[in-house]
Amino acid sequence: MEPNEFEGSPKTWPPLGMPTGSVRAILGLLVVAVVVTKMARFEDFQTDEDKLWIVTLLITLTHYFTSRRFVALSPEVRRQLEDDGVIDRERHPLFLPRNSIRVIIIGAFSWLAYHVYTNGPEHENGILYGHHVASLLGMMASFLLGAIVRGIGNWWNGYRPQRSAGTWGDLKALGVILVLTLVAIPEFLGQQSVVPPIFFRVALGFTLFYFGSR
């Protein structure tokens, strides 16, 4: 660790003396490892404990793949605020290069997708049909894809805040509201069977993609 790394920062001594975010990185990687392992074994995820692992995973993904700053700051302004002790200094968790945790998470699920594709039960021509693991993997892939699209968009725009989402942003928002409403209404009425399962999965996948892209 660099000398006086956190001098002037509100958090002068982060947990365990590691860079800020290291404990969250360890916890997040453990959650990802558990879920990936269980999915690689094609477990059913039917118990309450299994469902809690999925919920925790989604919260972890939200933490790492969505923006957490209320105001977009240029690198110069951010450094000045850090020097003045107004905001915490940003350091890379676990002493790893920038974005390493995100790359590890994406890599883990990429391996899982390959494993499911090549080794899953009900396997036909390289495709896993009707298995819950494939559905869960599709939902998580939708969220990660949205986050990747957002990152590419931010890079393309030079990380400058956009005044308006434009026509594409409006169409995307209207689309996700419409498809989720179409599957939510039968749920409210207790008529879930009227919605084809594939449409239900597409609607939820589109919703997760939208959250990831924001």
Side-chain angles (χ1 to χ4, degrees):
M1 182 182 298
E2 299 175 1
N4 300 323
E5 181 180 8
F6 296 97
E7 183 178 354
S9 175
K11 293 182 178 179
T12 56
W13 186 257
L16 304 179
M18 297 188 295
T20 301
S22 292
V23 173
R24 284 170 292 183
I26 293 172
L27 296 176
L29 292 176
L30 283 173
V31 171
V32 170
V34 169
V35 174
V36 166
T37 299
K38 292 171 72 67
M39 293 178 72
R41 294 172 180 165
F42 300 98
E43 296 187 11
D44 291 334
F45 283 90
Q46 296 298 320
T47 68
D48 290 340
E49 291 78 10
D50 288 339
K51 293 173 183 177
L52 285 176
W53 277 112
I54 296 297
V55 171
T56 305
L57 174 66
L58 292 176
I59 293 173
T60 300
L61 295 180
T62 301
H63 172 78
Y64 279 105
F65 291 93
T66 58
S67 176
R68 296 184 296 278
R69 286 193 180 275
F70 292 103
V71 179
L73 302 175
S74 67
E76 295 77 14
V77 172
R78 185 175 67 248
R79 282 194 294 269
Q80 183 61 52
L81 292 175
E82 289 174 348
D83 291 341
D84 293 341
V86 177
I87 63 174
D88 296 335
R89 294 188 184 278
E90 290 194 339
R91 291 294 181 266
H92 304 158
L94 300 178
F95 304 100
L96 296 174
R98 183 178 179 84
N99 292 323
S100 292
I101 304 301
R102 295 180 183 182
V103 170
I104 292 172
I105 292 174
I106 292 174
F109 280 104
S110 297
W111 172 85
L112 178 63
Y114 174 78
H115 175 79
V116 168
Y117 181 81
T118 56
N119 299 291
E122 304 174 26
H123 187 271
E124 181 179 338
N125 297 325
I127 300 177
L128 190 66
Y129 289 103
H131 198 280
H132 64 279
V133 169
S135 298
L136 288 173
L137 190 57
M139 295 297 100
M140 295 168 193
S142 297
F143 181 86
L144 292 175
L145 178 61
I148 292 171
V149 169
R150 174 176 55 84
I152 294 174
N154 289 339
W155 172 80
W156 183 263
N157 294 315
Y159 297 95
R160 294 186 300 271
Q162 301 299 302
R163 295 181 179 275
S164 172
T167 303
W168 166 243
D170 293 340
L171 291 175
K172 187 168 64 172
L174 288 174
V176 71
I177 291 172
L178 176 62
V179 297
L180 190 59
T181 300
L182 289 177
V183 298
I185 290 176
E187 294 285 347
F188 295 145
L189 300 177
Q191 302 292 327
Q192 298 91 336
S193 59
V194 303
V195 179
I198 185 63
F199 187 79
F200 178 80
R201 294 172 186 172
V202 169
L204 293 185
F206 191 17
T207 301
L208 288 173
F209 171 85
Y210 186 82
F211 275 104
S213 67
R214 299 302 297 168

